[in-house]
Amino acid sequence: MIADHPVPAERLAEMYRKMVLIRRFEDRLYGLFLQGLVPSTLHQYQGQEAVAAGVCEALRLDDIVFSTHRPVGHAIAKGVSLESIAGELWGKATGCASGKGGQMHLADVSVGFLPSNAIVGANIPIAVGAAMGFSMRGLDRVAVSFFGDGASNIGAFHEGLNLAAVRQAPVIFICENNQYAASTHISLTMKIKNIADRAAAYGMPGRMVDGMDALAVYESAREAVERARAGDGPTLLEYKTYRYMGHSRGDPGNYRSREEVEQWQGRDPIPLFRQRLIDTFGMEEEALIAVEERCQAEVESAIQAAQAAPEPDPEKLYQSVYASRRSES
Ligand SMILES: Cc1ncc(C[n+]2csc(CCOP(=O)(O)OP(=O)(O)O)c2C)c(N)n1
Ligand SMILES: [Mg+2]
């Protein structure tokens, strides 16, 4: 073990656990989906696990995360229970949105996971507003917006970043550049190579980071979080990554070459981090195997619980649809 390394061993182990939990859950869902057993849609996160795990490990419980149409990894990383995510995918009463939202609309405000937003780019200004609220109330909490490369071409991205910079809002913009927006490669939609370069136009720091390297993700996110918490304003972090599955359920991904997919699979963030934990941080392989086995067991039990859970009560259909009216005071 490297005693003077700035990242404590428990943090590293927790990041690894979350990455494995995301991968095992997503893989299991895909298998069940192919058997027609998952009632929800699927936008899967395999390949991008280092980003969710690394960023969320740099956050406190009371920091808040805004996610997208691909939220399962973000939700697990922020601490939403696997059972309540599975419940939501099966549309059950035990789901984190009471079975009303499905895969794209996960939420658990108690752990700082705000309802995910399937409208591309739409969570960006909402995160800025939440961050402005924190600073106006004198709180040192931060807001994080996760979004894709495609979202960085949406107007809301530009408005959101500009306002955040002007107001020095404690928000971190996490662009997961997986190279594609649905079937469209980024080279067809933008002339620049690095989305992080766009930060300069708004007067905030922008960094391009290897999104397959969990430690690099954690360290870059930690720096941005410290900056935001200290009142020094927002940061744009671009993580170069790749989604191994199609855009959504049923997409065979035939707009990508097999060589391209295999090249990225050769830099799979999970075995990369696993090897690093053993070689650099002296972790025992047996301990990592035990983590992997516990994750698999957790996945199986969450899915079984979701399948056995009761359907939502029709009487509650209109509950939680609108915010309850607060008395004027
Ligand atoms: C405003 C809007 N336009 C189009 C869509 C349809 N749509 C859903 S996801 C997606 C691609 C988004 O790509 P990106 O932002 O790179 O995220 P990724 O899917 O790669 O995670 C599109 C076009 C949408 N949900 N919202
Ligand atoms: Mg994308």
Side-chain angles (χ1 to χ4, degrees), residues 43-45 48 68-70 74 104 117-122 147-154 175-184 186 243 246-248:
H43 296 82
Q44 299 211 283
Y45 197 68
Q48 303 183 206
T68 64
H69 56 283
R70 202 179 297 289
H74 305 146
M104 291 194 284
N117 195 325
I119 303 169
V120 171
F147 54 89
D149 42 284
S152 77
N153 291 327
I154 295 268
C175 180
E176 294 187 76
N177 182 356
N178 61 11
Q179 342 275 322
Y180 290 87
S183 56
T184 307
I186 44 169
R243 68 167 153 72
H247 166 67
S248 61

Side-chain angles (χ1 to χ4, degrees), residues 122-179:
N123 80 31
I124 297 171
I126 301 174
V128 175
M132 283 168 58
F134 290 152
S135 55
M136 286 162 81
R137 285 183 285 153
L139 304 172
D140 71 345
R141 296 164 66 184
V142 306
V144 167
S145 164
F146 283 99
F147 54 89
D149 42 284
S152 77
N153 291 327
I154 295 268
F157 167 89
H158 301 278
E159 295 178 31
L161 266 71
N162 188 55
L163 183 62
V166 168
R167 295 297 179 100
Q168 225 153 297
V171 54
I172 297 129
F173 300 105
I174 304 292
C175 180
E176 294 187 76
N177 182 356
N178 61 11
Q179 342 275 322

